[in-house]
Amino acid sequence: MPIRYALPPDAEVMAEVTCAAFAEFEEFDVTREQSTANWRRNLLGEAAERPRPHHTRVAELPDRTVIGLVMGGPADPELGHDAEIYALAVRPGHQSQGHGRALLRAAAADLSADGFGSLAIRVLAVNERARRLYTSLGGVLAGEVPPDEVCYCWPEIAALL
């Protein structure tokens, strides 16, 4: 499964993946239109800020169908870690096949290469599938993020490489 850097034209399909991946959680209240606008803004911002390292990637099937995405960068200071994964989503029907694991590792490699030493990710507390993934990759439950999220962390980002 190829993992490549995301580009501004990917915004709509990334919104589709994001909304499909989180549709089962009523806590996720972002529309596809809002998600498309958010991805477009983020991807255009990344393109404008080059040559800084690009931290948004998509996973594709051989036919170039986008099935997953990951985005990371500097962490919110309240998390107490250098880097944070802002988004990680895999299209239903492709979950639990190693795609999320591969995307998280690709993001960790990008962030590590950019000098980040630790990593955090917030996840909906009810998202048991993601929580099992992070635990299986050595993520440590670092606490709750009100009102409905928990945070996992890797004190050494190298543990994901």
Side-chain angles (χ1 to χ4, degrees):
M1 164 203 60
I3 296 177
R4 65 169 173 81
Y5 294 112
L7 300 170
D10 294 317
E12 191 169 333
V13 72
M14 291 172 71
E16 179 184 316
V17 169
T18 302
C19 291
F22 293 103
E24 67 184 282
F25 305 110
E26 67 180 55
E27 293 85 349
F28 184 77
D29 61 355
V30 177
T31 68
R32 190 166 167 187
E33 292 76 20
Q34 291 168 322
S35 185
T36 298
N38 291 340
W39 282 118
R40 185 169 289 118
R41 183 183 64 251
N42 288 327
L43 294 170
L44 287 170
E46 286 182 354
E49 293 175 16
R50 285 203 175 89
R52 92 173 167 83
H54 192 29
H55 299 299
T56 306
R57 290 180 173 249
V58 293
E60 296 180 317
L61 296 175
D63 68 1
R64 300 195 56 145
T65 300
V66 173
I67 60 164
L69 58 92
V70 66
M71 179 185 194
D76 184 326
E78 74 183 33
L79 292 178
H81 294 280
D82 299 337
E84 179 179 358
I85 298 297
Y86 308 133
L88 175 63
V90 176
R91 191 184 294 268
H94 297 279
Q95 295 173 351
S96 300
Q97 298 176 25
H99 303 302
R101 179 179 304 266
L103 283 160
L104 184 56
R105 286 189 166 141
D110 284 346
L111 293 163
S112 178
D114 201 27
F116 294 99
S118 62
L119 181 67
I121 187 167
R122 299 178 223 209
V123 60
L124 290 171
V126 297
N127 190 341
E128 292 296 329
R129 183 182 306 118
R131 294 180 70 173
R132 283 191 304 272
L133 171 65
Y134 306 145
T135 299
S136 76
L137 289 168
V140 177
L141 183 60
E144 295 182 11
V145 183
D148 53 13
E149 296 179 321
V150 294
C151 180
Y152 284 82
C153 68
W154 290 264
E156 298 292 330
I157 202 169
L160 285 166
L161 306 180

